[in-house]
Amino acid sequence: MRVLVIRRGPVARVLVTSMAPAHDVTLAVREPAADSLVVTTNRLRGARRVERRVGVTPVDGPAQDWDVVISTASPAEPAVARLLGGSAAVVAAVTQVPSEVTRLRELAGDRPWGLVVPGFFAADDWWWQPGRFRFTTTGPASLRSLFARSRAASPAAPLVSAASMMPVVAGLQAADFDLAAARRASRPLAIAASQARAAVAAEFGVRRPKAVRPAAVRAALTVLPRLAPFDVPEYLRSHFGGHSAQTVRMVRDWVELGRRHDLPVNELEALLPSAVAE
């Protein structure tokens, strides 16, 4: 298949080096310096470095026919929306933001669409996969077939999963990524996560998930730094600190969905004044 991946950040690089060699992969970037480039990724904990040569095209270049277009940037960006709204047979995005999923669905129209959700942490020169699956995909089977280590899920599943974690990330931002401070705030953060999960479930018409327990929040904030082969607070600060606007957008989306379905959103609202403004 001819696959276009929009942007070239850490997630995009792991994505393209995870695809089977049989696929013809091209990156859409802002300012290409050549017609192709070698993409390298380095998995932590003993795995070898992987290289792959891919094509390069400008994100605002002329329209082309693609079998699949996957965006690692927001579908709300005009240049990205143009590519997703073009002639690809299947469109997808690496996002768990409810409003971005709605925009992707609008751009897809009558075409198949889906989500590609990473199951790893990634930075500029490394990535680490704590679980079994590298990606979770929703939508057509052709998306899952791109990757050797992936699993299929319903459209709501990755959004509910994000709603479990990202309120805690918003709380970490408010605490300047101080894990001890976030652990002390585990009860309101667990309630905020439960409210976000309930809002997503109501919007997608799936069974309401169980409430998130404060003990689970404390355990995650305690265990992850012990398991991860990198400096977790520094990674969270550099990664999520650089994407604070997206975190704020997610919280606002959950608040809007909760109000739409007459659900409590008080702890989610409490996160907004503390989050970094857009």
Side-chain angles (χ1 to χ4, degrees), residues 50-82:
V50 177
E51 293 186 350
R52 179 175 190 157
R53 181 168 290 278
V54 300
V56 181
T57 189
V59 70
D60 56 355
Q64 300 183 46
D65 290 328
W66 305 99
D67 296 310
V68 181
V69 173
I70 305 173
S71 178
T72 62
S74 170
E77 294 185 24
V80 174
R82 183 185 64 82

Side-chain angles (χ1 to χ4, degrees), residues 5 7-19 27 37-41 50 52 72 120 123-127 135:
V5 177
R7 298 288 167 81
R8 56 180 294 181
V11 170
R13 295 201 293 272
V14 178
L15 194 154
V16 301
T17 55
S18 298
M19 291 186 194
L27 286 174
L37 58 83
V38 175
V39 176
T40 63
T41 55
V50 177
R52 179 175 190 157
T72 62
F120 53 83
D124 285 339
D125 56 357
W126 60 264
W127 64 281
F135 295 96

